[in-house]
Amino acid sequence: MLIEHTTDSWEYDGSFYGFLTIVYQAFKNQVFPEVILTPETSVESLFLSEWIEKDDEKAHKIYQRLQQRLHTENFQFIVDGFYATIENKEIHLLETILIALNTKDSLVNFIGHPSVLAIQKGIKTLLGEAHLYTGFVRFEYVGKILFSKISPKYFSLPYICPHFAERYPLESMMIYDETHRLLALIKQGQISFVEDTDCPEFEEQQLEEDIQQQWKTFLQAVTIKERINKKAQLGHMPLRFQKHMPEWQ
């Protein structure tokens, strides 16, 4: 497939289906723009951009087409790449999709290509943070619901949830990502999300506060002050993870 690279600048709403609409537009017209912006990145840009309106029907069609034509591993690579934090992410993704459509091999064998390499690095960082959070998330009971609040750098909440859904299949849980204003609902292993929402407010639970205080008291009792090594602690648990952990308050 021959793709013309232009000096055009496109802008979209930043959503996954918005990006798939971009993919539809690019491959239908066989044109890749030089710059793809979102409302956040356009503020710092001097480019005059053409707005590409999200079209759910076209986006869904592209989603199914990619799912059918790409290896499962390569398709997931594209999806994970969209949720990673990468400079010029959309351009890298278009280039990577073009490669994936023209090969039966795994995309990880194309890391010599700058776009594939950039996406792989972004995914590695994203999944690395998600792995850390599976050990650093702290829940508290609010009624019969387990609730937690986190502040991840990256869009890692969707990658954290399957761990807890599998680990606590009979529980109802809520995890709120205050960085991306995303709320995850997990009920008996089923996961759903509410986007662009405020953190839920609950009445104070005295029982939970008592449990947390007992936990802090226990940690203070078993801590050997002479063996405290702040540098080593920070190496294993950076400050940003301690914000919502009761034992560090």
Side-chain angles (χ1 to χ4, degrees), residues 130-178:
H131 174 71
L132 289 174
Y133 263 114
T134 59
F136 294 155
V137 170
R138 294 294 183 267
F139 289 99
E140 60 180 296
Y141 269 110
V142 181
K144 296 182 179 181
I145 297 174
L146 286 170
F147 175 76
S148 180
K149 184 191 295 185
I150 61 175
S151 305
K153 282 185 179 180
Y154 309 106
F155 199 76
S156 54
L157 180 55
Y159 297 86
I160 299 169
C161 293
H163 169 80
F164 293 107
E166 181 179 354
R167 188 173 182 182
Y168 304 108
L170 302 180
E171 295 282 3
S172 294
M173 292 174 280
M174 299 174 66
I175 307 176
Y176 182 70
D177 174 355
E178 63 180 4

Side-chain angles (χ1 to χ4, degrees), residues 204-222:
E204 292 186 2
Q205 300 290 318
Q206 188 61 45
L207 177 60
E208 179 61 33
E209 291 179 0
D210 291 343
I211 293 173
Q212 290 187 11
Q213 186 56 50
Q214 291 172 18
W215 174 238
K216 293 177 186 178
T217 302
F218 168 75
L219 289 175
Q220 291 172 357
V222 299

Side-chain angles (χ1 to χ4, degrees), residues 9-246:
S9 176
W10 296 354
E11 184 177 349
Y12 76 111
D13 64 359
S15 68
F16 183 54
Y17 262 36
F19 170 68
L20 290 179
T21 306
I22 291 277
V23 176
Y24 180 93
Q25 179 98 346
F27 280 91
K28 179 182 179 182
N29 298 320
Q30 298 185 3
V31 169
F32 282 5
E34 183 176 0
V35 178
I36 299 177
L37 302 171
T38 65
E40 290 75 21
T41 57
S42 65
V43 175
E44 303 174 357
S45 175
L46 299 177
F47 291 96
L48 293 176
S49 304
E50 176 187 354
W51 177 261
I52 307 298
E53 188 70 31
K54 181 180 71 171
D55 187 314
D56 289 341
E57 184 178 347
K58 293 177 180 177
H60 185 64
K61 185 184 296 184
I62 284 294
Y63 184 90
Q64 290 182 316
R65 189 80 54 84
L66 292 176
Q67 201 170 34
Q68 292 167 359
R69 291 194 56 181
L70 303 185
H71 287 296
T72 302
E73 178 186 347
N74 289 348
F75 178 76
Q76 191 61 47
F77 188 88
I78 300 298
V79 174
D80 293 343
F82 175 79
Y83 291 111
T85 301
I86 310 164
E87 189 175 358
N88 299 322
K89 175 178 66 180
E90 291 81 4
I91 296 297
H92 287 314
L93 284 171
L94 285 179
E95 296 286 355
T96 301
I97 291 172
L98 181 60
I99 293 172
L101 289 171
N102 288 286
T103 184
K104 295 182 179 180
D105 204 354
S106 171
L107 281 171
V108 296
N109 294 325
F110 289 84
I111 56 173
H113 191 287
S115 290
V116 178
L117 180 60
I119 293 173
Q120 186 192 47
K121 287 182 177 179
I123 292 174
K124 184 178 180 181
T125 302
L126 169 66
L127 297 182
E129 181 182 63
H131 174 71
L132 289 174
Y133 263 114
T134 59
F136 294 155
V137 170
R138 294 294 183 267
F139 289 99
E140 60 180 296
Y141 269 110
V142 181
K144 296 182 179 181
I145 297 174
L146 286 170
F147 175 76
S148 180
K149 184 191 295 185
I150 61 175
S151 305
K153 282 185 179 180
Y154 309 106
F155 199 76
S156 54
L157 180 55
Y159 297 86
I160 299 169
C161 293
H163 169 80
F164 293 107
E166 181 179 354
R167 188 173 182 182
Y168 304 108
L170 302 180
E171 295 282 3
S172 294
M173 292 174 280
M174 299 174 66
I175 307 176
Y176 182 70
D177 174 355
E178 63 180 4
T179 305
H180 302 94
R181 291 176 48 80
L182 180 66
L183 177 66
L185 309 173
I186 307 173
K187 186 174 183 179
Q188 297 181 346
Q190 300 299 311
I191 304 169
S192 58
F193 297 96
V194 180
E195 299 179 349
D196 193 25
T197 186
D198 294 327
C199 182
E201 295 184 2
F202 306 101
E203 295 182 2
E204 292 186 2
Q205 300 290 318
Q206 188 61 45
L207 177 60
E208 179 61 33
E209 291 179 0
D210 291 343
I211 293 173
Q212 290 187 11
Q213 186 56 50
Q214 291 172 18
W215 174 238
K216 293 177 186 178
T217 302
F218 168 75
L219 289 175
Q220 291 172 357
V222 299
T223 298
I224 301 174
K225 294 183 179 180
E226 292 74 15
R227 294 186 179 180
I228 293 177
N229 187 331
K230 294 292 185 181
K231 186 176 181 180
Q233 288 176 348
L234 289 175
H236 291 287
M237 187 180 296
L239 284 173
R240 67 188 181 92
F241 290 104
Q242 299 177 20
K243 180 178 180 182
H244 299 297
M245 301 175 71

